[in-house]
Amino acid sequence: MIKKWTRPCLGLLGAALVLCSAVRIGAYVLETHTSRKANERLAQEAVAHVTQMPEPSVSAPAVPAAPKELPPITVDFESLLADNPDIVGWLYSQDTPINYPLLQAKDNHYYLGRLPDKTKNVNGSLFVDYRSASDFSDRNTIIYGHNMRSGNMFGSLKNYCQQDYYEAHPVMWLFLPNQCYKLEVTAGCVVRSDSHFYHVPDTGENAVKQVMEAKALSDFTSNTEPREDDRWVTLSTCSYEFDHARYIVLGRLVQVQSDDPGAPIQK
């Protein structure tokens, strides 16, 4: 039998647990709001819609050229880099929450819990694997982001598990300080965090095999056929089908324009 004096204690303990949970939820909501506002402010300051298409440069890197096309936005990297030289690019997906700067640090932990202004925040930032070339010249460049319930960061990435979502969002846009690329979304699937999909293929032939394997596992069907000279981007976020599950979306880089081609970003 529970003694009379223990009942008030149990009541106080229950109230304390409820209060603690409320505080944690409140802190999460506040950090999510702070993250959204900070990134919205950054986008308002650095991103503008394009009104005319600049002429492409003849000296652009050797990447498959798409037909002349108007990118939906332009990005002011001069102001972004003045605030944080760790910014290496900008990722944009029209009519989705993805409209963020891409950071790159000396490890894969720093921006896991920091905003672009380097303040700590549970939402973190989208960041490029520290081992990847900052100019996206590798055969495969990996970008990480949290799967936030709010939809922030890569919270919308898992929507690619549906064919109709892919058909509504078949491309993303990748902007670098001296180049603009269209990202042709090619495959999306659940993998383990230690999957070979996180490794950069050593040859073009192995890159094609890797992409074809991803297409075989993909939740949606795309018509993209990989070539040995392609460059790829892998977007990665947490998934919850099993321990250490990740959801990845592979996209092919297709050059759209080159305003000022030249040396890669110096870190």
Side-chain angles (χ1 to χ4, degrees):
M1 181 181 294
I2 299 176
K3 296 182 178 180
K4 293 183 179 180
W5 64 267
T6 63
R7 291 176 181 172
C9 293
L10 291 174
L12 288 173
L13 178 60
L17 291 174
V18 170
L19 179 61
C20 181
S21 178
V23 169
R24 292 180 63 183
I25 292 173
Y28 173 83
V29 171
L30 178 60
E31 290 202 24
T32 297
H33 176 76
T34 300
S35 169
R36 180 177 288 121
K37 288 300 182 182
N39 282 289
E40 286 178 353
R41 184 167 57 253
L42 202 60
Q44 289 171 358
E45 294 173 353
V47 174
H49 286 274
V50 172
T51 56
Q52 61 182 359
M53 181 68 179
E55 290 297 323
S57 168
V58 295
S59 59
V63 178
K68 193 171 182 178
E69 186 173 2
L70 187 72
I73 64 172
T74 58
V75 181
D76 179 6
F77 280 99
E78 184 176 352
S79 64
L80 289 173
L81 293 173
D83 290 336
N84 186 351
D86 288 345
I87 295 175
V88 297
W90 192 281
L91 186 65
Y92 177 75
S93 178
Q94 201 158 7
D95 300 324
T96 81
I98 298 176
N99 185 24
Y100 298 115
L102 301 176
L103 288 296
Q104 188 178 38
K106 294 180 179 179
D107 57 53
N108 286 340
H109 301 286
Y110 189 80
Y111 285 107
L112 196 63
R114 284 180 172 82
L115 300 179
D117 65 3
K118 300 186 178 182
T119 57
K120 290 186 177 181
N121 189 289
V122 68
N123 288 255
S125 298
L126 300 188
F127 61 94
V128 177
D129 192 293
Y130 76 99
R131 294 159 291 193
S132 297
S134 60
D135 63 352
F136 286 71
S137 59
D138 293 334
R139 285 193 177 89
N140 183 29
T141 301
I142 303 169
I143 301 174
Y144 303 95
H146 283 307
N147 181 3
M148 304 303 294
R149 293 181 180 178
S150 64
N152 279 6
M153 300 301 113
F154 276 162
S156 62
L157 207 60
K158 192 65 187 295
N159 291 333
Y160 277 105
C161 67
Q162 304 171 24
Q163 181 71 28
D164 57 351
Y165 186 85
Y166 160 72
E167 292 174 359
H169 306 90
V171 300
M172 298 186 191
W173 298 84
L174 174 68
F175 299 86
L176 305 184
N178 57 11
Q179 187 64 60
C180 170
Y181 295 102
K182 187 166 66 171
L183 196 61
E184 294 182 341
V185 178
T186 300
C189 55
V190 176
V191 300
R192 288 185 54 85
S193 60
D194 58 357
S195 166
H196 66 279
F197 286 109
Y198 290 97
H199 300 158
V200 178
D202 55 352
T203 66
E205 181 181 2
N206 286 336
V208 169
K209 290 179 180 178
Q210 189 179 75
V211 174
M212 291 304 294
E213 183 179 349
K215 282 172 63 70
L217 296 171
S218 181
D219 293 321
F220 60 84
T221 301
S222 74
N223 294 323
T224 305
E225 293 298 329
R227 300 181 293 264
E228 291 190 11
D229 60 347
D230 285 336
R231 299 202 325 249
W232 297 88
V233 171
T234 298
L235 312 179
S236 173
T237 193
C238 288
S239 196
Y240 304 102
E241 289 77 5
F242 48 82
D243 289 345
H244 309 295
R246 299 291 185 269
Y247 195 79
I248 59 172
V249 171
L250 273 70
R252 176 166 66 186
L253 286 174
V254 178
Q255 179 185 313
V256 174
Q257 70 176 10
S258 179
D259 292 338
D260 182 23
I265 306 166
Q266 297 300 315
K267 295 293 289 178

